[in-house]
Amino acid sequence: MTKEKQQWGSRIGLILAMAGNAVGLGNFLRFPAQAVQNGGGAFIIPYLVCFVLMGIPLLWIEWSMGRYGGRSGNHSTPFILNEMGKKALWKYIGVFGIFTNVAVAAYYCYIESWTMSYVMHSILGTFNGMDRNAVASFFDSYVDVSTSTTGIPYEAVIFYLFCLLLNTYILSKGLDGVEKVAKVGMPLLILFGIFLAVRAITLQAGDSGAAYDGTVGLNYLWTPDFNSLYNPNVWLAAAGQIFFTLSVGMGTVHCYASYLNSRDDVALNAMSAGWMNEFVEVVVGASIVIPITVGYFGVEGMLEIAKQGSFALGFKTMPYLFYQWGSVLAPVAGVMFFGLLFFAGITSSLAMGTPWMGFMHDEYGWGRKLGAWSFGLFVLVLGLPTVFFYQYGVFDEYDDWAGTNSLFVFALAETVLFAWIFGMKKGWQEITLGADFKVPGFFRYVIGYVTPVLLLLVFLANIIKPVDNDWGMAFSGLFSGDGWPLDNGSLIKKITMNGLRGEIAAETDNVKRAFLEKKLTFTIIARLILVAAFLFISFLVYRASKLRTKKF
C-alpha cells in the first residue's frame, strides 16, 4: 500500500485543531463541577498556577517530541519515544499513546452521542413542561438501552453508532477532514458559548423564575477565599483539571505535531492552543453553567448538584433550566448548549483517532481509509460494553483506567524521558527551534524539576488518597499508630476492589446485593477488555519493531 504524505493546510487550521483536541466536554461540564466543589474563586488561583508550571511545560514537551519524531517519519508515540530514548522500554511506554486514545474514544463517543440526542430533543421540545426530577429521570432512562425516549428501539445504541460512523468518515479524509471540522466547529462553539454566557450573566432575580442574579454565580467563581489556598485538596483538584483539560498524556498532541515541518514553531503554537483552551474553559464555559445554576438554585443548591458529578449538571439539570426561559428561547438555548458540547466532543474524538492511524500508516502502510475504518471498528468493539452495561460501571472503569491513570503514567514517563534521558539541553533546543517568540529561560528549570515533581505528587496522591480526602486526619492517624485510612477512591483500593467487595459484604438487601455482585463481575470484565486491548497494541508495536529490523 502506498504511503500518503500528510501535512496541515494552514497554521490557523493547526491551532484550531490542537485547541479542538484540548477543548472537550470537560471544559463545560467537569470544570464548573470542580470549581464549585473546590471553593469557587479559591480554585482559580491554583488552577492558573498549575497551568503555568505543569500545563504549558507539558504542551511544549509534547509538541517538541512530536515534531522531533516527525522528522524521522514517526507519527505515533511508540516510535517517537523510541527515537528519543533508544531503548526498547520506551516504545512500549509509548503504547499508552495509542491505547489511551482508542479506549477513551470508546466511551467518549458515547457521551458525544448524548449531545446529539439532546440537540434533537431540544428541537422537539421533549423537556417542555417536565419538572426537575422528570428531566433527571429522562437521562437515566436514556442510558438504559432497554428503554426508549422516542419509541425507537435501542435509541442510545443507534445514536452511538451514528456518532462513531461520523467520526470514522471524517477521519477517513485525513488531516484535511480534521482541519475542516476544527475550522467550522471551534468558531461555532465559541459563538454559541458567548451567546449563552451573556444570557447567563444578564439573568436577573425574578426573570423566568430565577431566584438570584446570574452575577451571583460569577462572583462566587471569581472571589477567592485565600484560606482555601492552604488546602491540599484544592491544589490536587486544580492540577488534575489542568491535566485533563489540555489533553496531555494521551499521544494526540505528539501525533498532530509530527506533521509539522522540521523548523515550524512549536513554542507559540502550543501557547496559542493552550490559552485558547483556557479562554473557552474559564471565561466561556464557567460563565454558562455556574451563573445559570446558581441563579435558580443558589450557591448551596449548585454545590449539591455538583457533588453528583458533571453529568448531573449538564444532562440532568441544564435542560430543565433552559425551559424556564420560554417556548422560543428554551429550544434555542438547548440546541446551542448541546451543540457546543457536540463540537467540543467531536474535535477531541477526531484527535483520538489520529495516533492509531499514524501508527498503522507508518508501520503497516495502511492508507487513510483503512486506518480510519479499522479505528472505528476497534472503538466499536471496545465501546459497546460501555453502552449496554453503563449502569454496571463499565463506563466508569474505562474512564478511570484509560482516561485518568494512564494519562498520569504516560505524562510522567515522557517528562522524565524528555528532561533526563533525551536531555534538557537538547530538549530546550527543540522547544526553541524556530520559535516565534523568546521562550523564558525560567521554564527550562520548570520542565526539568517542577513539572515532574508535580506530576509525581498528583499521581501519588491518587494512589494513597485518604478517606474523605482528609489529609490532616490521615497523617494524624499515621503518626499516632492508627495507620493510613484509604478512601475507596484511592488507586490501591480500586486495584484490589476492596471498596466494592466491602459494599457487597455489608449489603443486606438481596436485590441491591445482586446488583453489586453483577457490578463486580462487569468491573473485572471491563479491566480484562482494557488489558487485552493494551496487549494487542503492544503486540502490533513488537511486530512493527521486528519489521523495521528486517528492513535494515
Side-chain angles (χ1 to χ4, degrees):
M1 296 183 188
T2 59
K3 289 196 173 186
E4 307 157 88
K5 174 68 175 175
Q6 295 193 75
Q7 62 182 17
W8 295 102
S10 65
R11 182 169 186 167
I12 187 64
L14 167 65
I15 292 173
L16 286 174
M18 279 287 198
N21 167 44
V23 173
L25 297 164
N27 293 69
F28 300 94
L29 300 179
R30 192 179 191 273
F31 176 77
Q34 287 291 310
V36 170
Q37 289 179 57
N38 290 282
F43 181 75
I44 296 297
I45 295 175
Y47 174 84
L48 293 176
V49 170
C50 289
F51 175 65
V52 173
L53 297 181
M54 190 172 72
I56 291 175
L58 280 170
L59 285 172
W60 280 338
I61 287 172
E62 295 195 350
W63 276 72
S64 299
M65 291 176 77
R67 185 183 62 180
Y68 180 83
R71 286 199 201 100
S72 303
N74 297 306
H75 303 93
S76 63
T77 51
F79 290 100
I80 290 175
L81 266 62
N82 184 66
E83 188 76 23
M84 301 183 77
K86 303 300 182 183
K87 287 185 184 288
L89 169 69
W90 291 110
K91 63 173 169 278
Y92 293 108
I93 290 176
V95 169
F96 281 102
I98 300 175
F99 161 77
T100 299
N101 289 284
V102 176
V104 171
Y107 68 87
Y108 198 86
C109 283
Y110 188 34
I111 311 173
E112 201 177 302
S113 72
W114 300 347
T115 68
M116 299 173 73
S117 175
Y118 271 61
V119 166
M120 182 192 75
H121 285 294
S122 296
I123 294 171
L124 295 176
T126 302
F127 306 112
N128 190 19
M130 284 188 180
D131 62 19
R132 184 179 171 186
N133 291 331
V135 172
S137 297
F138 177 90
F139 175 79
D140 294 331
S141 296
Y142 182 83
V143 295
D144 180 357
V145 296
S146 63
T147 64
S148 174
T149 60
T150 60
I152 303 171
Y154 297 102
E155 177 187 353
V157 180
I158 291 172
F159 270 101
Y160 176 69
L161 292 175
F162 179 74
C163 183
L164 186 53
L165 280 171
L166 179 61
N167 275 268
T168 305
Y169 172 75
I170 296 169
L171 282 170
S172 71
K173 302 299 180 182
L175 291 183
D176 184 55
V178 173
E179 189 171 341
K180 284 178 179 176
V181 171
K183 284 181 175 179
V184 173
M186 288 303 294
L188 279 176
L189 180 154
I190 293 172
L191 181 65
F192 289 171
I194 290 174
F195 176 88
L196 292 170
V198 170
R199 171 59 182 154
I201 295 168
T202 56
L203 185 68
Q204 295 184 338
D207 178 14
S208 303
Y212 306 92
D213 292 348
T215 52
V216 173
L218 210 59
N219 289 337
Y220 176 73
L221 179 65
W222 291 104
T223 304
D225 174 8
F226 292 103
N227 291 325
S228 296
L229 296 179
Y230 300 103
N231 185 346
N233 291 325
V234 175
W235 285 89
L236 287 172
Q241 179 61 24
I242 283 294
F243 198 83
F244 298 122
T245 191
L246 294 174
S247 294
V248 289
M250 290 187 69
T252 50
V253 172
H254 305 75
C255 183
Y256 274 8
S258 69
Y259 293 101
L260 290 168
N261 291 322
S262 61
R263 295 186 64 87
D264 279 351
D265 165 81
V266 297
L268 185 59
N269 283 342
M271 286 276 286
S272 300
W275 281 111
M276 181 179 291
N277 175 78
E278 295 308 292
F279 169 79
V280 170
E281 179 162 285
V282 179
V283 178
V284 180
S287 298
I288 299 171
V289 174
I290 294 177
I292 295 174
T293 309
V294 171
Y296 284 92
F297 301 126
V299 173
E300 292 303 318
M302 173 76 179
L303 281 168
E304 287 302 312
I305 298 170
K307 287 177 183 176
Q308 299 171 40
S310 55
F311 293 161
L313 275 173
F315 295 96
K316 294 186 176 184
T317 303
M318 295 309 292
Y320 166 74
L321 297 181
F322 289 146
Y323 271 89
Q324 309 310 304
W325 295 356
S327 59
V328 175
L329 188 55
V332 171
V335 169
M336 286 190 170
F337 181 69
F338 293 109
L340 70 83
L341 289 183
F342 170 73
F343 287 125
I346 196 168
T347 50
S348 295
S349 58
L350 289 174
M352 295 173 199
T354 54
W356 167 268
M357 292 175 63
F359 170 71
M360 297 307 290
H361 174 266
D362 290 351
E363 310 309 323
Y364 295 97
W366 289 18
R368 292 176 300 179
K369 291 185 178 179
L370 185 56
W373 290 102
S374 62
F375 171 76
L377 180 61
F378 199 173
V379 169
L380 177 65
V381 172
L382 286 179
L384 282 178
T386 72
V387 180
F388 281 101
F389 308 113
Y390 176 88
Q391 69 271 37
Y392 295 117
V394 175
F395 181 105
D396 295 329
E397 283 299 302
Y398 278 42
D399 186 40
D400 198 30
W401 294 103
T404 303
N405 296 312
S406 290
L407 304 186
F408 280 109
V409 170
F410 185 58
L412 181 58
E414 70 177 355
T415 303
V416 171
L417 169 62
F418 185 84
W420 295 98
I421 307 299
F422 185 67
M424 203 56 234
K425 181 178 179 181
K426 288 192 291 184
W428 190 251
Q429 290 174 345
E430 194 62 37
I431 290 172
T432 56
L433 177 67
D436 289 338
F437 81 110
K438 184 174 176 57
V439 184
F442 157 78
F443 280 103
R444 181 170 184 164
Y445 303 99
V446 170
I447 292 171
Y449 301 98
V450 180
T451 302
V453 169
L454 278 176
L455 286 169
L456 183 61
L457 287 175
V458 173
F459 188 55
L460 288 175
N462 284 327
I463 294 175
I464 60 170
K465 180 182 177 183
V467 171
D468 297 327
N469 257 335
D470 193 335
W471 293 88
M473 179 193 71
F475 278 109
S476 296
L478 183 64
F479 292 124
S480 65
D482 294 331
W484 187 278
L486 289 171
D487 190 85
N488 286 341
S490 67
L491 196 55
I492 292 175
K493 281 285 189 79
K494 287 178 179 178
I495 290 172
T496 60
M497 293 182 282
N498 283 346
L500 183 54
R501 294 181 194 275
E503 286 183 56
I504 294 172
E507 186 56 64
T508 56
D509 184 290
N510 289 334
V511 175
K512 291 181 180 178
R513 184 185 178 88
F515 173 81
L516 290 173
E517 288 174 343
K518 202 167 184 180
K519 184 175 181 179
L520 177 61
T521 300
F522 277 103
T523 295
I524 295 170
I525 291 172
R527 294 184 182 184
L528 289 174
I529 292 172
L530 291 174
V531 170
F534 188 89
L535 292 176
F536 173 65
I537 297 170
S538 298
F539 169 74
L540 291 178
V541 170
Y542 169 79
R543 186 167 180 272
S545 181
K546 292 298 182 182
L547 289 173
R548 284 190 172 207
T549 303
K550 286 182 179 179
K551 287 179 182 178
F552 297 102

